[in-house]
Amino acid sequence: MGLFSRKNTTESAVAVATLPVDPALAALTGDYTIDPSHSSIGFTVRHAMVTNVRGTFGEHEGTLKLDGSNPGASTASIDVRIASVDTGIGDRDNHLRSGDFFDAEQFPLMSFRSTRAEQLGGDKYRITGDLTIKDVTKPLSIDLEFNGSATDVYGNERVGFEGSTEILRSAWGLTWNAALETGGVMVSDKVKLNFDISAIKNAA
């Protein structure tokens, strides 16, 4: 079952082919609120050239707008509170919040606003939009997998997605580093962002 419009593989075509509307897909149409208690937004970055550090942002909020009749019109909006970063080590978290990295006091939010949605095949999709960190806005594409929909024990209609993307942190002004005696640097420029999203359909 698809959520977003199928990508047009014919470069010369002007219009994207219209797919038959799946009744199950049409039933998902509506506005959704991301459930932070059942969602995770995190990152993985190489440390000292030999290992990975993983972290999450414990405070985030967002909305989804799913359109089953015109899936390409679906949108996503997410705000992440930088001060909620957690890598399991307090000193490292404080360093990430400082001016060397995110400068959480001056720039408290990391935000994503989608501009395009497309189907890659099956339940795999790509959301493209604008990622803003430290008042720097750059385009970003996130590959996602639709995990399905269900009604939970409280009667909430839910949808689930998971996915990831990679960025170069320097493109958003996150340039702090330290040289290693053996060569290389302390923190990789490449960062993997990870998303595991559960969203609840808003009451009509």
Side-chain angles (χ1 to χ4, degrees):
M1 179 172 62
L3 271 184
F4 305 109
S5 58
R6 185 177 302 278
K7 186 176 181 181
N8 184 5
T9 57
T10 304
E11 294 181 357
S12 61
V14 175
V16 176
T18 300
L19 298 179
V21 176
D22 182 339
L25 171 60
L28 298 180
T29 295
D31 296 323
Y32 292 75
T33 299
I34 292 176
D35 178 6
S37 64
H38 293 93
S39 301
S40 176
I41 298 176
F43 61 89
T44 305
V45 61
R46 185 63 58 90
H47 176 262
M49 308 296 290
V50 296
T51 190
N52 289 319
V53 168
R54 294 175 173 82
T56 59
F57 295 97
E59 297 180 24
H60 50 82
E61 60 184 18
T63 59
L64 306 176
K65 184 178 181 63
L66 304 183
D67 189 330
S69 299
N70 181 19
S74 299
T75 62
S77 174
I78 300 174
D79 291 316
V80 175
R81 187 159 296 279
I82 293 297
S84 69
V85 65
D86 182 6
T87 65
I89 298 179
D91 287 344
R92 180 165 59 206
D93 296 341
N94 288 333
H95 192 197
L96 289 172
R97 297 181 187 112
S98 75
D100 283 345
F101 285 95
F102 288 109
D103 196 355
E105 185 172 349
Q106 184 175 356
F107 306 103
L109 295 179
M110 174 173 64
S111 300
F112 177 79
R113 300 290 184 268
S114 70
T115 57
R116 183 183 181 192
E118 57 186 321
Q119 183 178 6
L120 302 180
D123 285 333
K124 298 185 182 300
Y125 309 91
R126 179 168 294 147
I127 295 292
T128 299
D130 296 321
L131 177 67
T132 301
I133 305 173
K134 297 180 73 173
D135 277 358
V136 176
T137 301
K138 300 281 186 180
L140 178 73
S141 292
I142 305 170
D143 287 345
L144 296 167
E145 183 170 357
F146 177 51
N147 288 337
S149 62
T151 301
D152 67 21
V153 295
Y154 302 104
N156 298 313
E157 296 181 58
R158 289 181 178 267
V159 293
F161 299 87
E162 61 180 313
S164 63
T165 190
E166 289 186 348
I167 66 170
L168 297 179
R169 61 187 178 90
S170 59
W172 281 267
L174 303 173
T175 58
W176 183 91
N177 228 321
L180 302 175
E181 292 184 2
T182 54
V185 292
M186 180 70 72
V187 184
S188 171
D189 191 23
K190 183 186 295 184
V191 180
K192 183 178 182 181
L193 302 178
N194 307 296
F195 303 87
D196 197 342
I197 302 297
S198 177
I200 298 173
K201 192 173 187 178
N202 299 346

